[in-house]
Amino acid sequence: MARGVLKLPEDLPVSVPRFVGKEVTRLEDPGLVTGTAEFIDNLSLAGMLHCAILRSPHPHARILRIDTSAAEAMDGVAAVLTGEDLRRWCNPAVTAPEGWGSYSMAVDKVRFVGEPVAAVAACNRYLAEDALEQIRVEYEPLPCVPDAHAATTPGASLVFEEKGSNVIQSRVYDWGEVDRMFAEADHVVSNTFRWNRVGANPTETFGCICQWDLTGNALTCHGSYQVPRFMALGRSATLRLPANRIRIIAQPMGGGFGGKGGPRGTDIAALLSRKAEGRPVKYIEDRIEYLLAGGGQSWDRHYEAALAVRADGTITGLKVKLLDDQGAGAEGYGTISAAKPLAAFTGCYRIEAARYDLTLVATNRAPTYPFRGYGPPPHYFVLESLVDMAARKLGMDPAELRRRNYIRPEQFPYVVPSGNEYDSGQYEVVLDKALALADYAKLRAEQARARAAGRLIGIGVVSTVEPGVFDWNCYATVGVPGVGVPEGVKVAVDILGNVTVAVGFNLQGQGQFTVAAQVAADYLGVDMHAVRVATAASDVALPHFGQGGSRLGVSVTGAVLGACRKLEVLFCRVVAHLMQTTPEQVELMDGRLRLKANPAVGMTLAEVAGTMLARSDLLPPDVEPCPEANYVWTAPGRTAPDEQGRCKSYLTAANATHLVMVEVDRETGQTSILGYWIVDDCGTRLNPATVDGQIEGGVAQGVGAALFEEYVYGESAQPLVTTFVDYLIPTIGEVPSSRKAVVVTPSPVSPLGAKGTGEGAIHTTPAAIMCAINDALSPLGIEVRETPASPRRLWQLLQQVA
Amino acid sequence: MTDKQRVCVTVNGRRYERWVEPRLTLVDFLRHELHLGGTHVGCEHGICGLCTVLIDGRSGRSCLTLAVQVDGAEVTTIESLRDPSTGALHPIQQAFVDAHGLQCGFCTPGFIMTTVELLRENPDPSDEEIKRALDGNLCRCTGYQSILASVRLAARRLREGREA
Ligand code: FES
Ligand code: FES
């Protein structure tokens, strides 16, 4: 008979787990290293047209006239789309909070540089771009809102006139007795911080092929879709089609990190197909389009924040005031990024009370989207910088100050003031391991010597909590309703015993197909590489979400375990019937259904599945001839939020300490990373190599955010960054080789004890580097509180004390 | 549009003759005319290195090269590496699999083609030499550590293979 909840890999029905927890090579890889994986631009359909999009050069302007006649007359052009078509056929984007969305192509006015104004479908991309040059648009420029501060000045121009204000949301969360904590504090450290816009920039931009079925009133979209069913729902709202008539087929993706974008491109390609008699239309966003106005801009934040600290170093209160530039509306769900810190507002610390004062505004910059981490990276930059400032004020070692304030192992499950419950952790063990790994005392001695010689050497020691397995309830207060995020799989055994796992998402790089195969293989006792993992189209797949919020590794594990358990129960019944015993007398072990009393007697998976499919005469009367099982997993025990946004939201709490040593060059302002050490605890590591890859990739993106990457806007909201010459993604030369060690505290609440681990490094790295730079600068009495700490920014600071 | 021009080019050992617009980039020619989709596009302005192929043995950016420029040349792409008769991966491809040198894999063909050139010229590169060779290829997923390990592993295996 079937087992209960599988808390650890050892609980799987195999003598020894052969794949789970092992560094296995990935199922995904042969197709990727040979270049044969079917990324969207490798797919073509018969009769396919190619789309190019004309974009606004103005940040804010009324559209007076669009003349498309010359473009329409060109040989090879099949359709031209303008805002008038959208006004007739579409609705503006659904947003949270409601009412801050634009149409997928500008209607009446443009709100940011790069907003689509017209589009062409032609027989090839070159010709489509030629046709764009033939379109004449007359604009009347409007006064623009260049940044967050301008958005709230009286008399500011309105990005969405009908709203009467540029403030999307303004509210204060109060958790505990914040004012008392600050009144009674021995020290208050407070400061302002600025996090400039950065973003995902996967190497593959967004792409899709859309085909409108004119007679069936239905739409099929192939594309680089991270969250297929969510995309279908959004298209249903904007394109006014019933959701069950939209079929989203997710292709493998060249990365995503939350910032893949896609709604506007999909709508435009779909409408062009509708105008072109239902011919398929391909749209492949180019890098300039992505950088201008794709899904790749996030976190444009101005902070004022303060810590209340007692003389002994106990941190008792945290206040964070955030002014967040969402750009031209909330279509990219950037608002959620501002709410996400609720899941871990006070980080690793026992801080009793906190306040979050949040103002989200619309400006004429490009709309903001999710990016890996979804909000905590800037938040932890602020929190951890304050902790370092407090340490300097108290004359304490920053590592010791942190240690003194950690949540202790016996306090778990621990409810933070902002409401979420952390499942488990050993923060001090992780810290100590990091200090030992780096030989912290020796680094400090080295630093003292280097300082004496006039060098600017700094050390950052930062610990964070990574909330894993996101839940919608965390974002309720910005207008996203719901508790629970279903992730469904089907596990099927065929007549020869082959196992297929059907999921609702496609590859994006994190290796979830491999995880699904590892778990299924160790449950059903088959070879991992014999398991096939396949993506089902959104209209027939089970409820699913896909990648996001450090959830899919855990969620897909839960779903595969659930489906395998159902199969086990079913197979035990069939075998019991065949062997004239009761299901309780039968068990699954190492891929065989066997008699508990006499393990030599049993049947293989193939024999059971074969009997079910081909010998209905032998089955129990109420058993269907179907050796398949569906299971839809969602995190257990989640709760609805109260009026202060408090709830059990993210299921798991992973933890890491990053330790980094940097040197700042006095002459150039250039920061070099001299050493990087990481100790990470994400519970059970389902595939340790994949976990390492998630950490190393997050470090690289964190290095980018801390030192190089920035979407720069001019004073009139003109983007100054439009190519990879300006947006500086770290290369192999800039990313440090880290030394790593591991602590494993299995989650008591998640399947097999695994914790979400896709975002921890990007939560931690920017804060660690910024703290290290300020440690380096501290003898000079200057500090940098704005990201990225680019050579220019640091050089300007250094000039003040030169 | 301008009149089409003739291009005669050898790609992965096969000779092709095509009439193309002079403005057609090499990467579009490879991907959309010859249906060799393994060479990817990340920026189309020469920075990311995803489109790297070998042109007469030297690595080059196929997004900044026009198809007409390779008239008479030999071009090698990722599709040439797998053993056509056995289906076995090239040792560099296998090393990327074994050392987890990829996540989404979109950048991987570019890295592998650059590595082919590197290891041909320098069978035993130091880490610094590997970094110098690969610093024109962007990867947004891996943080490069596993790529470095993959190239080291590939170099070792190729050297051992040569000795064996
Ligand atoms: S696509 Fe050629 S270098 Fe980026
Ligand atoms: S593996 Fe995704 S960009 Fe390199």
Side-chain angles (χ1 to χ4, degrees), chain A residues 203 254-255, chain B residues 101-108 111 138-142 147:
Chain A
T203 52
Chain B
L102 63 150
Q103 288 181 26
C104 78
F106 200 63
C107 69
T108 311
F111 273 97
L138 294 181
C139 172
R140 192 58 162 166
C141 298
T142 61
I147 293 178

Side-chain angles (χ1 to χ4, degrees), chain A residues 26 42 126 200 709 730 737, chain B residues 23 28 31 103 140 144-145:
Chain A
R26 306 191 313 169
N42 287 13
Y126 289 69
E709 298 175 29
S737 295
Chain B
R23 64 178 176 175
D28 283 349
R31 291 177 50 75
Q103 288 181 26
R140 192 58 162 166
Y144 304 104
Q145 307 315 301

